[in-house]
Amino acid sequence: MSALLPARTCLRAATTTNTFTLPIRSFSATSSQLYNQNRPVGGPIPSPTGQAPHIPPYPHGPRLFYKQSNTGLYGHATIRYGNNVSERNEIKTRRTWRPNVHRKRLFSMALRSWVQTRLTTRVLRTIDKVGGLDEYLLGIKANRIKELGPWGWRLRWRLMQSRDVKRRFAKQRRELGLADGRLEKEVREENKKYKMEQKQIQFYTKKKLGVSGSQKSTGGEQHVLPDGRIVDEAGKEAYIKETDAMLADEANEHILDLGEVEVAKDEGFMKEKPAPKKAPKKAPKKATKKV
């Protein structure tokens, strides 16, 4: 460097550097803890293929055609069939269309955990539209129940056992005026009234037929006739005599023997009348030409 040039200042020496001390990492022989997601509230999520006798059976039964849809949220999607047609010779080749299925993790607000499941893109759009997995599974329409399938039915039952969904249903019952078991009480009262009416009807029918309480207390046996009447021993004997008399009258009726039937047939009894003879048709007249 020439001595005539001004000396340059060293920027590195002029600037002050701040030093940071990092904590010393502690080494251990134990393995690091794995990530665990939040466990669902109220118990584990049922398996799509395991045995669950405590869950009520799916009302529509398992799907027998596309069995893969029994373990996911497939909606009404199934395998479709068709043909590939060539442009030149219009040759048809058989082919299939499978639904667009993905594996997703959806968050459940009621369970406060993630639910991993296979589902189609159409069902995923429906879940986004209704406002989440819980709203989709808790749908009340008949078509939604049929769309869930066996796996969706299990998830629906699991949601209904959670605390948040129970509070939600209790709030709806209060809004409808069905809180504190009012509906159950009304049903019980109606059943009691029905039983009392049936007892009164039986009492008055017995009284009308002459079956009193004194006969009951004395040990008189009661009999139910084929026509529904309730009678005592004397009524039963009268009924037997009446039926015996009817059978005797039927036995006294005269039944014709085979020979008597042939004689009566010759005399005109059960003789078929000959069919009336039809008049012969007249031949049409031939038209004569005038000369």
Side-chain angles (χ1 to χ4, degrees), residues 280-288:
K281 294 182 179 180
K282 296 180 180 181
K285 295 180 179 180
K286 295 182 180 181
T288 55

Side-chain angles (χ1 to χ4, degrees), residues 37-174:
Q37 69 166 0
N38 297 331
R39 293 185 178 181
V41 179
I45 298 174
S47 172
T49 57
Q51 298 292 334
H54 58 284
I55 300 177
Y58 182 53
H60 298 284
R63 295 169 178 174
L64 303 177
F65 177 67
Y66 191 40
K67 296 184 179 180
Q68 183 181 348
S69 61
N70 293 327
T71 59
L73 301 176
Y74 284 56
H76 298 291
T78 56
I79 301 176
R80 294 182 296 172
Y81 297 89
N83 298 318
N84 283 335
V85 184
S86 62
E87 296 181 359
R88 185 175 181 180
N89 297 322
E90 296 184 357
I91 298 174
K92 294 182 180 180
T93 306
R94 200 65 175 169
R95 61 157 296 183
T96 59
W97 288 273
R98 293 184 177 273
N100 190 7
V101 181
H102 298 271
R103 187 180 291 275
K104 294 289 182 180
R105 292 172 68 244
L106 304 174
F107 188 76
S108 173
M109 297 298 294
L111 302 177
R112 295 185 180 88
S113 65
W114 295 91
V115 179
Q116 186 172 3
T117 179
R118 288 184 296 183
L119 75 168
T120 59
T121 54
R122 184 178 292 277
V123 173
L124 187 60
R125 287 197 302 269
T126 307
I127 292 173
D128 294 337
K129 181 180 178 181
V130 299
L133 179 64
D134 298 348
E135 300 298 331
Y136 175 77
L137 295 174
L138 295 175
I140 59 175
K141 292 186 178 180
N143 192 27
R144 177 62 55 81
I145 301 299
K146 193 173 183 180
E147 183 179 346
L148 291 178
W151 167 231
W153 177 259
R154 292 190 176 191
L155 286 178
R156 177 189 174 92
W157 177 87
R158 181 63 187 84
L159 281 178
M160 294 178 71
Q161 306 305 315
S162 62
R163 188 180 303 170
D164 294 346
V165 176
K166 287 182 179 179
R167 289 177 180 175
R168 174 180 171 181
F169 289 164
K171 183 180 178 181
Q172 292 178 0
R173 285 195 295 270
R174 285 194 299 270

Side-chain angles (χ1 to χ4, degrees), residues 218-283:
T218 55
E221 295 183 1
Q222 299 178 4
H223 304 278
V224 180
L225 300 181
D227 55 359
R229 292 182 298 167
I230 302 174
V231 297
D232 55 356
E233 192 67 28
K236 179 183 176 182
E237 292 178 0
Y239 181 76
I240 292 173
K241 290 179 181 179
E242 185 180 353
T243 52
D244 291 342
M246 291 174 61
L247 293 174
D249 294 340
E250 291 179 359
N252 293 331
E253 291 182 358
H254 181 65
I255 301 174
L256 296 177
D257 297 334
L258 185 60
E260 296 177 354
V261 171
E262 295 294 336
V263 172
K265 188 175 180 181
D266 296 338
E267 293 178 356
F269 177 70
M270 296 178 61
K271 191 175 182 181
E272 295 183 359
K273 295 181 180 180
K277 295 182 179 180
K278 295 182 180 179
K281 294 182 179 180
K282 296 180 180 181

